Amino acid sequence: PAQRHLYLAALRELLAQENAAILQAAGRARPLRRGDLAGLLRALLTACAAAESRTANQALPHLHIRTAPDFPTHETAVFEPRLVQAAAVGLLRAAAAVNPGGPLAVSLSRGLDSLILTITGEYPPHEKEALGVARETARLHEGSLAVCEGTVGLSLSTLLGGEAGHYTAPTAADLLRDGLSSVQVGFYSSLE
């Protein structure tokens, strides 16, 4: 138990440093990579739902993940993988923090030339860092961030250009296995 406590504390410190680095560089251009944006979002949600079920913390909300029928199985787009992961996982973590024990409805849908992640609970997330990271992610991806009543939504354009390489999206199993993945650092570390 003592080692687990230290490990989770170290992950939370790493998360704070990563968020600070993202927010410090807000407004700047970043290199984008071509990859499967839909696959990455699906893997993140699946891994977060699996991580949530692996803990004994009863205060955690249950994630009800719904994928709209028009959400693509695969969507090649140009994006910044680190920011997309930090934003999606950060919004989930922030929503879980303000809705302890209550259900969270998480949805993936397609917009006009965009992919949309929405998270709905009784209360909307209000964690300043998570919202700041999501706002920066939306800006860079010509999308938007909206918070309304108990819902937060993040849209990401699928029409960006200017790639600087290829990105292979990890699977949910990869994210759970990697001790420094966005799911481990950004979500798992906050489970206890």
Side-chain angles (χ1 to χ4, degrees):
Q3 287 179 339
R4 179 177 170 79
H5 177 74
L6 290 173
Y7 173 69
L8 293 174
L11 289 180
R12 287 190 293 273
E13 178 60 29
L14 179 57
L15 173 64
Q17 290 178 14
E18 287 183 345
N19 284 342
I22 291 169
L23 295 174
Q24 185 177 19
R28 296 185 183 152
R30 293 173 182 263
L32 304 176
R33 298 166 75 184
R34 181 170 300 282
D36 181 6
L37 180 56
L40 176 60
L41 291 171
R42 284 177 189 271
L44 285 169
L45 295 184
T46 301
C48 285
E52 171 239 349
S53 68
R54 292 162 67 173
T55 182
N57 186 344
Q58 298 301 313
L60 282 174
H62 180 67
L63 303 180
H64 299 283
I65 300 172
R66 179 187 158 282
T67 303
D70 67 341
F71 191 79
T73 303
H74 179 86
E75 179 77 27
T76 299
V78 176
F79 59 98
E80 207 295 340
R82 178 177 170 231
L83 286 187
V84 169
Q85 292 180 66
V89 172
L91 290 175
L92 275 172
R93 180 190 66 252
V98 297
N99 293 286
L104 287 179
V106 184
S107 158
L108 291 174
S109 59
R110 179 190 282 278
L112 182 62
D113 301 322
S114 65
L115 298 182
I116 302 165
L117 166 70
T118 58
I119 304 165
T120 303
E122 187 174 352
Y123 305 103
H126 59 269
E127 180 189 311
K128 186 177 175 181
E129 282 185 355
L131 292 173
V133 168
R135 194 171 295 110
E136 173 60 10
T137 303
R139 180 205 64 81
L140 184 67
H141 295 87
E142 296 178 4
S144 61
L145 175 70
V147 180
C148 180
E149 296 181 8
T151 301
V152 61
L154 173 67
S155 68
L156 306 168
S157 174
T158 56
L159 298 178
L160 298 179
E163 66 181 281
H166 181 75
Y167 176 75
T168 302
T171 65
D174 293 337
L175 292 167
L176 289 168
R177 196 172 28 253
D178 180 358
L180 295 177
S181 74
S182 59
V183 171
Q184 297 291 345
V185 174
F187 191 72
Y188 182 73
S189 67
S190 66
L191 295 181
E192 305 215 4

